[in-house]
Amino acid sequence: EVRLVESGGGLVQPGGSLRLSCAASGSTFRNYAMTWVRQAPGKGFEWVSSISRGGDDTYYADSVKGRFTISRDDAKGTLYLQLNSLKTEDTAMYYCAKDIVMVVTPNTVRGQGTQVTVSS
């Protein structure tokens, strides 16, 4: 089974940038589509972005389109999310997940998350 470990979160001012990483191990990363989801304090999970096997196709929630960029490096077994023009409403725990995940369930394979806090 694949194991996912996120990193790169932190505290950033509005308008700032962060780059999140998700390192995969235990399975063949290139065989899977991948997804980023997030959970703001007191709220449910929100789908953020997905990327196909090979990386040719990317998908974004309207709330992040034009500001976030998803990418993958199959040689390194790593998924990325570049976060630009951050807003306070982007504050959340960010998780990477195996496959295209629009709704997080108990069966969703995901990491432990990395916290992003946008505040002045």
Side-chain angles (χ1 to χ4, degrees), residues 29-87:
F29 177 75
R30 70 174 64 87
N31 289 344
Y32 306 119
M34 295 293 295
T35 293
W36 286 97
V37 297
R38 65 187 181 184
Q39 187 174 31
K43 296 187 177 181
F45 286 99
E46 177 190 11
W47 171 73
V48 174
S49 181
S50 296
I51 187 168
S52 63
R53 289 175 52 183
D56 287 341
D57 299 306
T58 57
Y59 312 91
Y60 298 94
D62 288 343
S63 59
V64 308
K65 196 173 296 182
R67 300 188 298 120
F68 291 7
T69 302
I70 191 171
S71 62
R72 64 190 297 162
D73 186 333
D74 287 346
K76 295 183 178 179
T78 304
L79 175 73
Y80 301 100
L81 187 68
Q82 178 68 41
L83 289 64
N84 295 331
S85 302
L86 281 161
K87 306 175 181 180

